[in-house]
Amino acid sequence: MAIPTEVQHEIPEHSGAPSARHPLDPLYAAELEEAVRILGREKYLGDTIRIASINLIEPAKSLVEKYQPGAPFERTALAVLLDRGKRASYEAVVDLAGKTVTSVTQLPSDVQPSIMLDEFSEVEQMVHRSPLFLEALRKRGVTDGDLVMVEPWSAGMYGTELSEEKGLRRMRALCFVRSEPKDNGYARPIDSMVIVVDLYKMEVVRIEEYPIAPIPPEPGNWASEYIPNVRKDLKPIEIVQPEGTSFTVEGNQVEWQKWKFRVGFTTREGLVLHTVSYDDDGVERPILYRASICEMVVPYGDPGEQYYRKNAFDIGEYGLGMLANSLALGCDCLGEIYYFDFPQVDSHGNVTALKNAVCLHEEDFGILWKHTDWRTGQSEVRRSRRLSVSFIATVGNYEYGFYWYFYQDGSIQCEIKLTGIMNTTALAPGETSQHGVEIAPRLNAPFHQHIFAARLVPSVDGPNNTVVEVNSLGVPTGPGNPHGNAIVAQETPLTTEKEARRRVNSASARFWRVVNPSKKNRLGRPVGYRLVPGENCPVFAQPDAPIMRRAGFTANNVWVTPYNPQERYAAGEYPNQHPTGDGLPNWTEANRKVDDTEVALWYVFGHNHVPRPEDWPVMPVAMLGFQFRPDGFFERSAAMDVPPPPAKSHCCH
């Protein structure tokens, strides 16, 4: 199906560009440019058509696992296109080698691609020109519209939309007023108005008006020029590796200690890890085929009419890769750093470099293991070193840091760091809110949650795996436990999708083992890796809340599905304005078999944010995540061969 419009942008030839070395390499700049050229030549781009995203179509898992270096491989891209004029969306498959568009599929009329980065700035500029907006400001005593910070949010779908909004690609814009151009606008919310925007026509549909509350009185500035008394007693800390790093990078492949993996990147997930393996005494043993954070949602807990729609799917509605930072040495990352650059394409087809998108470096991490024999005085200690792979995305007011750590004992950790500025509302003099905390005079920060979904494709010593739940229980006092001290660990294989809808349970110290039934260790048990929960919380939205139609994946912490490369995102492919939701709750209704087969393991984890005054004006980092640790995978501790610290460190040996 061709879209009969003229090419909007001509992309110049990119000579001398690097080419893909591996089937899983993200699209290079030259490939993105070629994809735009092909789409334009075949009349799939034009004045009314925008590019929501272009990403590599990852080849079949079976082909990747059989791939030998130097062998030829195909490169195809999936472009998601939005035709504003026709109010229609399309998926176009581009064969980069054949230089053709092999298929174009029109998406259902109720599907909206993710919000494009350009649309945020276009909405803010358009709103500033709107007479409706300027009149609303005058009613509130705001005379300088240029000082008003317009923050567009995804509009969601709640069943309360007015008739004039039906079928529109919408955003809802919140407003804050600065006292000067660099002022922290979040200190002064104008939450008595919400602007509804039509992104097709790029115009204001209407302005919702609510009771006017006085603007909070205090600034909340955070930039260094506003902080008069910075600490002056800090001495420098320098991280040096005079002999260089212990890792090597070839293309997108990283090798460190006994680890080997590939670094990937998509516009939606940002950082992706591929083909993670461990060299066990000369045998390269696979552990994970793919790992990423595939979805997140931030539900706010204030039921007020102007507030209840604050529920952002920062991955599915925006795309973390499109919002990734260019990281700075000594600020975001410290030490001997290797950076990965990844190109981006904007909605007009312009390809630009995202420099320093992913940071790779080693860190000292305290004690790895230690023992002292008090009888002989013998004492030995090993320092832990970990390899950190990370990126940071700015999503409006919040920053999210995504870190994957590799350890010398064979463990993997995923950690997410939350910081940035809380979204705020205004309080009238003497008013309080039972749905938030007053963090500064007449400035309220609503209760909210940050809930993430990790998608892990395990390949523990081979492709066919089973997930086993382990619960530790105290045994009732009786003949088998006369002293009341007995503990058992009950193991339950999860054999079907519905059986595998599980929640964390600290009362039974619950964890999950991913085992390979066909591979036994020397003790006769299946080799495995253990998924260990970290901080977590239940979603507090009610099951019948409109948000749960799209965020149904938050109802459980663990889901297991048969591996399907088309089932990629916990909330489905297109959560933006989706009327009924998609993803894990729908897929798992099939109740497919998930034991001794290729599976995807989904772990959902959240941070419940009850704000503090100390979280203002910029929130100190909060951390949450999980671990994936060897459990019967090795014959003994994989950390025993780590060498002792050098003698000059004055450690006892």
Side-chain angles (χ1 to χ4, degrees), residues 22-24 59-73 275 284 286 289 459 463 598:
H22 188 275
L24 290 174
K61 184 169 178 278
S62 58
L63 295 178
V64 172
E65 291 172 337
K66 295 175 183 176
Y67 173 73
Q68 295 296 318
F73 51 87
T275 59
E284 187 174 323
Y289 177 74
S459 184
E598 294 182 289

Side-chain angles (χ1 to χ4, degrees), residues 59 75 80 82 107 156 161 164 179 197 232 264 269 306 320 364 383 411 531 537 577 582 630 634:
R75 297 285 278 177
V80 179
L82 174 70
L107 298 172
E161 291 74 23
E164 63 263 32
S179 61
V197 173
K232 298 180 173 60
E269 303 152 293
Q306 68 266 53
L320 290 181
D364 179 271
R383 298 292 300 178
S411 296
L531 175 65
C537 64
Q577 293 184 217
D582 196 6
F634 301 109

Side-chain angles (χ1 to χ4, degrees), residues 476-498:
T477 303
N481 184 27
H483 308 292
N485 66 314
I487 302 171
V488 295
Q490 292 184 345
E491 298 192 359
T492 306
L494 305 178
T495 62
T496 66
E497 289 180 288
K498 288 186 178 180

Side-chain angles (χ1 to χ4, degrees), residues 496-540:
T496 66
E497 289 180 288
K498 288 186 178 180
E499 284 181 1
R501 294 170 171 174
R502 306 299 297 162
R503 296 201 60 82
V504 295
N505 183 7
S506 60
S508 65
R510 181 173 294 166
F511 63 87
W512 292 269
R513 296 182 75 232
V514 181
V515 302
N516 187 327
S518 64
K519 299 287 183 68
K520 301 292 197 298
N521 59 28
R522 64 175 180 165
L523 304 175
R525 283 172 54 82
V527 298
Y529 255 74
R530 178 184 298 192
L531 175 65
V532 183
E535 177 190 340
N536 214 324
C537 64
V539 62
F540 292 126

Side-chain angles (χ1 to χ4, degrees), residues 411-425:
S411 296
I412 303 169
Q413 180 185 4
C414 174
E415 182 175 69
I416 298 177
K417 299 182 181 181
L418 288 63
T419 181
I421 301 179
M422 295 179 293
N423 195 267
T424 55
T425 63

Side-chain angles (χ1 to χ4, degrees), residues 215-368:
I215 292 173
E218 285 189 1
N221 291 315
W222 49 271
S224 56
E225 61 259 38
Y226 294 103
I227 310 301
N229 299 312
V230 297
R231 305 180 192 191
K232 298 180 173 60
D233 57 349
L234 289 176
K235 306 299 184 185
I237 292 180
E238 296 184 3
I239 309 298
V240 296
Q241 293 182 271
E243 298 181 20
T245 63
S246 302
F247 59 80
T248 59
V249 180
E250 183 176 350
N252 285 73
Q253 181 173 283
V254 178
E255 294 189 45
W256 177 75
Q257 301 283 286
K258 300 184 175 186
W259 290 104
K260 182 187 291 186
F261 59 90
R262 304 194 68 83
V263 174
F265 200 84
T266 72
T267 61
R268 185 158 174 167
E269 303 152 293
L271 173 61
V272 179
L273 300 179
H274 296 285
T275 59
V276 178
S277 65
Y278 193 92
D279 184 335
D280 183 15
D281 199 21
V283 178
E284 187 174 323
R285 301 176 69 186
I287 296 170
L288 288 168
Y289 177 74
R290 195 181 194 276
S292 71
I293 303 299
C294 70
E295 190 54 271
M296 62 175 287
V297 61
V298 186
Y300 281 75
D302 193 320
E305 187 64 26
Q306 68 266 53
Y307 307 132
Y308 76 89
R309 296 180 185 86
K310 287 184 180 179
N311 296 285
F313 290 71
D314 293 340
I315 294 178
E317 291 179 333
Y318 305 142
L320 290 181
M322 298 302 294
L323 301 171
N325 293 184
S326 287
L327 303 176
L329 181 62
C331 302
D332 302 301
C333 307
L334 187 62
E336 296 290 329
I337 308 298
Y338 184 94
Y339 289 109
F340 292 88
D341 302 338
F342 294 102
Q344 292 183 322
V345 58
D346 67 18
S347 68
H348 297 286
N350 301 305
V351 177
T352 57
L354 175 60
K355 305 292 289 184
N356 299 355
V358 170
C359 171
L360 176 71
H361 70 288
E362 295 173 282
E363 296 177 340
D364 179 271
F365 196 63
I367 292 176
L368 175 63

Side-chain angles (χ1 to χ4, degrees), residues 150-161:
V150 178
E151 182 162 280
W153 280 55
S154 51
M157 187 67 73
Y158 299 91
T160 56
E161 291 74 23

Side-chain angles (χ1 to χ4, degrees), residues 597-608:
T597 189
E598 294 182 289
V599 298
L601 171 61
W602 312 71
Y603 179 62
V604 179
F605 55 108
H607 172 73
N608 188 58

